[in-house]
Amino acid sequence: MGRNVLAQVSQQALRHNVKEVRKLAANAKIIAMIKANAYGHGLAKVAKTIHDVDAFGVACIDEALLIRKEGVQTNIVLMEGIFRDEELELVQKYHFTLVVHHWRQIQALQQYPKTTPEKFKIWIKINTGMNRLGFSPNEFDEAYTVLSNLPHVDLIGFMTHFAKADEKNSTLTQQQSDLFNQIVGKRPGQRCLANTAGILAWSQTHGDWVRPGLMLYGASPFADSTGKDFNLIPAMTLSSEIIAVRDVGMGEKVGYGGTWENNKKTSKIGIVAFGYGDGYPWHAKNGTPVLVNGQRVQTVGRVSMDMLAVDLSSLNNVEVGAPVILWGKGLPIEEVARHAGTLPYELFCRFTERVQVEIVS
Ligand SMILES: *Cc1c(COP(=O)(O)O)cnc(C)c1O
């Protein structure tokens, strides 16, 4: 009822994309990244669909609890570890795995009673150049020594994160990877480095575990490609409909600020029930692609809160109610992102509660 704005998420596509990760990183285990509501695809539904990955990665304990309480038994890694000491009890109770990236987190573990029913499973995060989280090369030895001597800690392995793996010509990824290997040395434990761009472009960094996010949802992190180039299938199709059609004459303008002017005798303008209040990027330029009746058209004028306008002049017989796809099947989200000066990551994460997310087989 009401506005017909819908994000359909395909289970088949999600499963297919997991298989592609397994093909590319055949010797590695998978931490499927499902933080931020599974990049907008629906945390619990995505987790249930691909529960047979080796682990899930989430940003915080709330996300982890949500899927445990939905009955998902898969290992869950808290990628930023604990934010508050009190979380350690829940980590025990629900068998979560921790990333440890800061001395503060080591102190919390040191202070926790050593008589835990099971050991804390942890990954040590190493900062190799991203300068976001992790122990720097000169701190690592000490952090490692303290953690590996704690009787209630089971050190699974070592992690780092790439800053520029989406830039295929940059030397930074290789440098980060070399530094990581040098720091970790021959210490026992698993190695985990690669995000989607690492998996797709830097096979020498696959290590023992990989951490795909974006590619699970069928999109590419590179500026010059789409998921299809890597045999990925977009998991989400975001749709709405045409709610008005009008002819505008030469010299007439469309939308707030009149930023688009018709320079033909007449143009047929369609109004789509989708705007920035639903999560469409306001920055999308004139000419951003949209599918109407399965055909490509372009946006005209500024995006409004609830609506956006498209030029339907190239199509015949478009009526009110015609189906619209904003991205997904037939229209890669990467293209929309490029027109809006943003990334597929951000588009996935920004749409609002107004959009009904539905999982389909
Ligand atoms: C989000 C995240 C990933 C996944 O990145 P993608 O580019 O989406 O594959 C991997 N590792 C860490 C630490 C992350 O935070």
Side-chain angles (χ1 to χ4, degrees):
M1 282 296 127
R3 283 167 94 242
N4 197 7
V5 298
L6 182 65
Q8 280 192 321
V9 175
S10 157
Q11 292 187 305
Q12 210 187 327
L14 289 168
R15 293 191 187 112
H16 168 91
N17 295 335
V18 171
K19 277 196 203 137
E20 292 304 309
V21 179
R22 293 231 187 261
K23 273 196 220 163
L24 284 163
N27 299 317
K29 292 188 181 169
I30 296 177
I31 303 178
M33 300 303 298
I34 57 170
K35 61 197 185 200
N37 197 26
Y39 293 43
H41 291 63
L43 188 53
K45 287 168 186 166
V46 169
K48 284 181 191 172
T49 302
I50 56 168
H51 63 88
D52 54 349
V53 293
D54 305 292
F56 287 120
V58 297
C60 60
I61 201 160
D62 309 81
E63 294 179 341
L65 288 170
L66 193 142
I67 48 178
R68 263 296 178 271
K69 288 180 177 166
E70 290 272 337
V72 174
Q73 299 299 318
T74 315
N75 288 320
I76 303 173
V77 186
L78 308 184
M79 302 307 296
E80 292 152 46
I82 53 162
F83 290 70
R84 307 269 171 268
D85 294 8
E86 302 81 74
E87 291 171 24
L88 285 178
E89 256 169 67
L90 291 169
V91 168
Q92 279 284 316
K93 183 168 173 201
Y94 292 97
H95 320 290
F96 299 143
T97 301
L98 294 174
V99 168
V100 175
H101 65 80
H102 199 275
W103 293 106
R104 187 72 199 75
Q105 296 175 326
I106 295 186
Q107 283 162 11
L109 286 166
Q110 284 175 313
Q111 284 159 14
Y112 197 86
K114 308 289 186 292
T115 52
T116 52
E118 58 182 78
K119 291 188 178 189
F120 287 103
K121 298 183 292 287
I122 67 151
W123 289 92
I124 303 186
K125 183 89 176 250
I126 307 173
N127 171 30
T128 54
M130 175 83 166
N131 286 315
R132 193 174 65 177
L133 297 183
F135 297 96
S136 298
N138 63 359
E139 301 174 303
F140 170 74
D141 255 336
E142 193 185 344
Y144 173 81
T145 307
V146 172
L147 284 167
S148 48
N149 284 324
L150 285 178
H152 59 333
V153 162
D154 179 12
L155 202 155
I156 298 175
F158 311 94
M159 262 187 199
T160 195
H161 194 49
F162 296 136
K164 267 190 173 187
D166 57 329
E167 294 182 29
K168 292 178 227 169
N169 297 321
S170 166
T171 54
L172 185 64
T173 303
Q174 192 58 54
Q175 283 170 32
Q176 286 193 261
S177 169
D178 291 346
L179 180 59
F180 176 82
N181 289 329
Q182 186 199 320
I183 294 168
V184 174
K186 291 199 168 25
R187 291 187 176 89
Q190 310 271 299
R191 274 89 170 136
C192 177
L193 304 86
N195 56 357
T196 292
I199 295 165
L200 295 176
W202 306 89
S203 59
Q204 70 275 32
T205 68
H206 288 175
D208 303 302
W209 290 75
V210 290
R211 304 190 303 270
L214 193 66
M215 68 183 293
L216 296 175
Y217 310 101
S220 160
F222 305 111
D224 58 353
S225 62
T226 66
K228 204 171 167 200
D229 298 318
F230 298 97
N231 197 28
L232 302 169
I233 303 175
M236 178 193 293
T237 293
L238 184 61
S239 61
S240 181
E241 60 189 0
I242 295 284
I243 59 167
V245 179
R246 72 177 57 256
D247 288 327
V248 301
M250 173 125 32
E252 289 197 87
K253 293 170 178 161
V254 173
Y256 285 116
T259 59
W260 183 84
E261 182 175 322
N262 178 36
N263 58 14
K264 288 182 293 195
K265 186 149 180 286
T266 53
S267 285
K268 194 171 285 294
I269 300 299
I271 304 300
V272 177
F274 207 87
Y276 63 79
D278 302 286
Y280 200 83
W282 183 86
H283 286 102
K285 293 195 285 265
N286 282 322
T288 303
V290 171
L291 295 185
V292 177
N293 278 342
Q295 317 250 35
R296 255 172 203 258
V297 296
Q298 300 187 330
T299 60
V300 295
R302 279 193 196 150
V303 175
S304 306
M305 190 179 291
D306 313 319
M307 291 169 267
L308 57 84
V310 291
D311 186 352
L312 298 175
S313 304
S314 61
L315 305 185
N316 294 321
N317 305 325
V318 176
E319 288 174 11
V320 167
V324 172
I325 290 178
L326 286 316
W327 64 66
K329 203 177 247 175
L331 179 57
I333 190 168
E334 295 91 332
E335 275 191 50
V336 179
R338 256 164 247 153
H339 279 89
T342 183
L343 303 172
Y345 295 91
E346 197 203 1
L347 293 186
F348 279 142
C349 288
R350 68 184 291 161
F351 62 77
T352 66
E353 314 255 292
R354 277 174 158 189
V355 180
Q356 199 189 320
V357 181
E358 186 183 280
I359 198 137
V360 295
S361 64

